Amino acid sequence: MTSERKIRANRANAQASTGPQTTRGRARAARNALRHALSLPVCSIPALSEEVETLAREIAGPGANAETRELARQVAEAQIDLRRVRYARHQFLSDTLSNQDYDSLANMRMNAKVLRALLRPSPPDMSMEALRKFVTSTPQGPHKLATVLSGEAKKLQAMDRYERRALSRRKFAIRAFDAARRRGSHDCNN
Amino acid sequence: MSRKSENKTEIAAASVPQRLTVFGPPLLLEGEDAAAYDELLARMCAAVKLVDVIDEMLIAEIVALEWEVLRWRRVKRTLIQEDILRALRNFLVGQFESNYALHKKHFKRYLAELLRNNLPTEQADSAETLAAECAPHTDEANEQLDVVLRRIGLEINTVLDNARAAKAKELVQEYVRGKQAAVTLVHKLLADAGESMDTFMAKAFAYKIDVIERIDRLATVAESRRNAALREIDRRRPVLGEALGRSVQHIEGDDFGNGELVLELPPAEGKNAA
């Protein structure tokens, strides 16, 4: 059984562990779980929500009924979400490609291995020039893109899942919208 | 931007509906040609008559995905080609090492330039003569070369290695450009050594198989999504879908589609070379 003394100490410690105290610290901690914000619905982001409404109005066209307007909004929402995911992936690729010092974890591990080998009592024969070139060279051009694709595969796959879901949502939203349109024109003809 | 690119942009701007901008700017990576993207979009838009915003949405999607397909094919081709050419360069360096006569003339020129740049000004004029005396690769000439190079703080082996690497690089460049003499020489050296460009290609594939597979997967995903968008258009408007499908085939068939894995190397016999 836990002693009274231990319980008191735990409670005292818990009082001191209340997370960040400053506004800046609290703001930073509030973003801990946020990586790319792609899991947030577009409607919870004011700027995107406005774009959704504009696009939905364009899709529905003038004089659309409430059902068509709602279905158009679903198409617009999926479309804006898709654009957001693609933009995030593109931004990630562009930022990583423009990072001059980018190298994959595997290459960095290899560099560290070589340096460790050189620090041993009987190091392998290697000129300073070759060593400098080996340690400081980073992949360039298409090789850099290939390194990024390999090194960041997990992140890119995660983004791809969001893209796939948005595409699927949009496909069914378009089909529902078209069906509603057809029903509407059929009713008008009758 | 070149004049050709400017023209492309003008054509594209004229034929792309304004509303397509709602779907965001083109997502181009560093070094990609915005004018070529606009031209691709203009060609797609010109092939069909768009009826509503959803058509435009799907067209913008097809163009973006087609661009991605072409990008991944281009990256794959460049990666493999670079590896093949690097292997060829290393092979040629090895050949020059074992057969000095192959790069004797080049070495003489290389040495003359090196001496001209490194000797004191009053001796620089004699660089040509000195290079001619030191280049023959006899024991006596090598001894003289060693003395000359040591005077200017250089090592004979380093100079020879650099000269061989420079000659190999030059020869590979001429080979890629399809220069007849270079093509003939490379094919002769390959045949004599029992090697072929296919061996280098196989090695490049083996070395890069992981990344090639990854790029292939990306291209396949983009292709299947593009086809899904085409099917969706076809479902909504069969005529439009058919026209777009033809347009995509044309684009893949002509200059846009040169991202297919066709390595830009001269033919085996070098007969078509310039």
Side-chain angles (χ1 to χ4, degrees), chain A residues 58 89-90 143 170 178, chain B residues 19 28 61 68 82 236:
Chain A
E58 282 230 40
R89 186 178 72 141
H90 173 75
H143 293 280
R170 193 189 63 181
D178 285 345
Chain B
R19 275 193 302 185
L28 306 179
E61 169 112 355
E68 218 173 287
E82 276 192 11
R236 301 185 83 231

Side-chain angles (χ1 to χ4, degrees), chain B residues 12 20 26 45 64 69 104 130 144 158 168 171 173 183 194 209 211 216 227 238 249-250 258 269:
Chain B
L20 281 179
C45 291
V69 169
K104 187 178 170 183
L130 208 51
Q144 192 183 351
T158 317
L171 189 57
Q173 280 169 354
V183 173
I209 193 71
V211 76
D216 270 345
N227 293 345
Q249 277 176 2
H250 283 152
N258 67 4
E269 293 307 312

